Amino acid sequence: MNPDTFIWVALAVAGGAFIQGTTGMGFALVVAPVLGLLAPSLLPISLLLLMLPLNALVAWRERHAIDMLGTKWISLGRVLGTFGGLWVLVVLPLSQLNILIGVSTIAASLVSWLAPAFSPGRKAFVSTGVITGITETATGIGGPPLALVYQHMPVATLRASVALCFLIGELVSLLVLAASGHLHGELLLPVCWMLPALAAGLILSQLVHKTVNARFLRQFVLVFALGSGILVLLQ
């Protein structure tokens, strides 16, 4: 990795870590396009590896607020969705899949903007996990479904629960990639280079994350999901 590439990737990692540490989401949406443009060989392994300490620390920071029941059902669906995503990639061209995911995410964002507050149940959590598994396996973007299902929860619950769901899902994805021969040792060095930038973003988020209120976070969630849907459509 040349110095110019390193600087831009490091800035993206620091910015993504700050945004996710503050709001509970956004790291992949910031970092994945930069890696895809400047260092595509690092995707998706380096992105998944960087998100392990990020989400572990965010979940631990507000562990008292984690929705364990919802996390359990989402994780069950996430495992099923991972293998479902692999199957979908075989039978459906990526361009068509991107259209389906993008349109669905945009529609869900717009409906959520107008819908009254709701308390998700078991079916909502499992289906969210399945959708997240499929979208993250196929496109690398798994945050919007999780963000939408937790949008009416307390701020700390959204951040910590989404982080724990991400953490479990990333471990599943890495195990699947390792089993399929895609996890190579030479990808670990670039991840180590990025750890100081990741730490800097997390430290900055620690200073401001408690100032985020529920109303702002819900608006951020909906804009984030809407932007994710548009980004997938443009891929």
Side-chain angles (χ1 to χ4, degrees):
M1 185 183 298
N2 64 56
D4 288 341
T5 298
F6 173 80
I7 290 172
W8 284 110
V9 173
L11 287 173
V13 168
F18 171 74
I19 292 171
Q20 182 137 342
T22 303
T23 66
M25 67 213 75
F27 183 80
L29 195 64
V30 173
V31 178
V34 176
L35 285 178
L37 181 64
L38 299 178
S41 62
L42 299 181
L43 288 173
I45 302 296
S46 294
L47 183 63
L48 291 169
L49 289 173
L50 284 169
M51 291 176 74
L52 289 178
L54 170 63
N55 287 307
L57 289 171
V58 172
W60 177 258
R61 185 178 65 192
E62 296 178 293
R63 57 194 179 278
H64 62 280
I66 293 175
D67 173 25
M68 296 304 299
L69 183 61
T71 298
K72 179 183 72 174
W73 289 116
I74 287 172
S75 298
L76 174 62
R78 175 67 172 76
V79 172
L80 298 174
T82 297
F83 296 98
L86 293 173
W87 178 80
V88 167
L89 285 175
V90 173
V91 300
L92 191 66
L94 184 58
S95 59
Q96 294 183 22
L97 181 63
N98 283 346
I99 293 172
L100 176 62
I101 293 172
V103 171
S104 299
T105 302
I106 292 170
S109 304
L110 296 176
V111 169
S112 296
W113 217 306
L114 302 174
F118 63 90
S119 297
R122 183 178 63 184
K123 291 181 179 179
F125 285 130
V126 173
S127 60
T128 295
V130 171
I131 294 169
T132 298
I134 293 172
T135 59
E136 195 163 31
T137 301
T139 68
I141 297 176
L146 293 176
L148 290 172
V149 80
Y150 275 115
Q151 64 181 291
H152 296 293
M153 295 287 191
V155 174
T157 298
L158 185 151
R159 276 194 299 248
S161 301
V162 168
L164 182 57
C165 290
F166 271 137
L167 181 62
I168 295 170
E170 286 146 16
L171 289 171
V172 171
S173 294
L174 285 169
L175 286 173
V176 171
L177 288 166
S180 61
H182 290 87
L183 188 57
H184 305 297
E186 64 267 19
L187 295 173
L188 296 178
L189 185 58
V191 171
C192 292
W193 292 343
M194 292 300 113
L195 289 178
L198 188 79
L202 273 173
I203 291 170
L204 288 174
S205 77
Q206 182 69 22
L207 301 176
V208 301
H209 77 281
K210 290 185 178 179
T211 65
V212 177
N213 60 47
R215 182 178 180 182
F216 167 81
L217 187 57
R218 181 167 186 262
Q219 297 302 315
F220 177 86
V221 164
L222 296 175
V223 172
F224 164 76
L226 188 63
S228 299
I230 295 171
L231 181 63
V232 170
L233 281 176
L234 294 176
Q235 288 182 345

